[in-house]
Amino acid sequence: MMRKKRKKFYIVLVIFLLLIGSLGFSLFKPDHGVSSFVSIEGEQEFKEVYEEAMKGLPEPQNEKIISTSFGEVKVYTFLDSATANQAPLLILPGKAASTPMWEPNLIDFMSHRPVYTIDLIGEPGLSTETVKIKDEYDQATWLKEVIIALEEPQIHLLGLSFGGWNATNVIIQEELPQVQSLVLIDPIQVFGPIPLKMIAASIPASIPIIPQSIRERMLSYISGGAEVNEEEPVARLIETGMRTFKSKLPHPTQIRAEQLEEISVPVLAILADNSTMHNAEKSYSLAKESLMHQKSSVVLFSNASHALNGEYPEKLAETIQDFILTLE
């Protein structure tokens, strides 16, 4: 019952994440600095809200910082002792998001295997960009270094939305024998571009200086009439990040079909049929045609929005687990 009550909230929440990414596509300007908080006060405010949002997650077994060529990466380990011996998931959040966004999913994921979560470099979170990330090769480098530093002989790499692009990008740029599979949850810029009308609609919803009432109306319109409640801990965290953090990452390039064809690991692509972030029919067709590994799979969630991880958390976890079991 609680999950049903949260459904509309997560529809808004995850779309909220992608609106920030869309804004990056439409208003991006080159900037030679690194991503950072705009002030000491803003950083403190964000960390307080982050700490509050983390209270909704299971207690991490461990947390640490991994140093990479482009910055410091915050890593959490979530573990259920009953599944501790399984190959873990490494999960990547969406644009402008961080570890707390996985609140609806962690318990279900942990029931099958250990889970690593990270805050992405260049996004609001507890990771820090110290060297300017200039392109997709730099993006792949730091993520590759994190995967190696985890020292897992086998790992399954999962990304949601912008995290799906990050996961795909590292696989097409780097040889990582420990990565056993790639799980993409309604990724952006992988199987198709974000529609222009969505980018246009996202702008007023994504700019902090726009009056809150207008931003909420636009978010409600984009999310099919769902109410927006920025007092929810994770939504409040995202809103705080919008105000206090400036991301200077390059916008993600569109993954090409020939690059998808060269992926050598099994891929599970989970697409939402009502996603506003791509044309679901075209994306489904491209994924089916381009993912060449015989154990790759493309699944279309019916009556699902881009926020499918919050709408169907149990179904999502079971779909992922069933896919991984075919590989073991």
Side-chain angles (χ1 to χ4, degrees), residues 6-15 101 103-104 307 310:
R6 293 187 308 210
K7 178 176 178 179
K8 282 191 175 181
F9 162 63
Y10 281 109
I11 293 174
V12 174
L13 172 59
V14 180
I15 288 178
M101 72 151 287
E103 187 274 336

Side-chain angles (χ1 to χ4, degrees), residues 25-250:
F25 299 146
S26 58
L27 298 183
F28 172 78
K29 295 180 181 179
D31 192 316
H32 298 295
V34 297
S35 307
S36 64
F37 288 96
V38 298
S39 68
I40 295 175
E41 294 78 12
E43 181 177 8
Q44 182 60 37
E45 178 187 0
F46 178 87
K47 288 181 176 180
E48 291 174 359
V49 178
Y50 184 104
E51 182 178 355
E52 183 65 25
M54 284 292 293
K55 293 178 181 178
L57 275 60
E59 185 73 21
Q61 187 203 42
N62 183 42
E63 55 184 275
K64 60 184 177 182
I65 295 291
I66 292 178
S67 296
T68 75
S69 298
F70 292 91
E72 307 295 303
V73 179
K74 183 69 174 182
V75 182
Y76 297 91
T77 307
F78 295 90
L79 184 67
D80 182 329
S81 59
T83 59
N85 293 327
Q86 301 300 312
L89 283 173
L90 169 59
I91 59 178
L92 313 181
K95 186 74 175 172
S98 50
T99 290
M101 72 151 287
W102 295 110
E103 187 274 336
N105 307 109
L106 274 174
I107 290 178
D108 288 326
F109 288 168
M110 291 165 57
S111 70
H112 298 301
R113 59 193 63 251
V115 179
Y116 291 107
T117 72
I118 65 173
D119 293 352
L120 301 177
I121 291 180
E123 301 293 346
L126 300 190
S127 295
T128 306
E129 184 180 354
T130 57
V131 175
K132 174 68 177 174
I133 293 174
K134 297 178 181 179
D135 52 34
E136 65 269 28
Y137 304 106
D138 293 347
Q139 289 276 42
T141 295
W142 75 256
L143 182 53
K144 175 197 70 174
E145 291 172 356
V146 168
I147 293 170
I148 292 172
L150 292 176
E151 297 183 332
E152 292 285 352
Q154 296 184 335
I155 199 164
H156 300 279
L157 182 59
L158 179 154
L160 166 69
S161 188
F162 177 60
W165 178 88
N166 275 280
T168 306
N169 180 59
V170 74
I171 290 298
I172 65 177
Q173 302 292 348
E174 301 285 351
E175 289 291 335
L176 293 167
Q178 58 270 69
V179 175
Q180 299 299 293
S181 73
L182 185 62
V183 179
L184 307 175
I185 304 174
D186 215 46
I188 62 167
Q189 297 291 94
V190 174
F191 302 116
I194 295 178
L196 290 176
K197 63 181 179 181
M198 185 61 195
I199 296 176
S202 74
I203 293 173
S206 306
I207 301 175
I209 62 172
I210 295 292
Q212 182 175 347
S213 60
I214 295 176
R215 288 194 291 125
E216 288 186 353
R217 283 200 297 271
M218 291 304 299
L219 284 170
S220 181
Y221 165 74
I222 294 166
S223 58
E227 295 182 0
V228 178
N229 181 3
E230 291 185 2
E231 294 305 311
E232 292 281 354
V234 181
R236 184 176 170 223
L237 179 65
I238 295 168
E239 188 276 331
T240 303
M242 288 173 60
R243 291 188 291 102
T244 63
F245 190 88
K246 185 175 182 181
S247 178
K248 299 180 182 180
L249 295 176

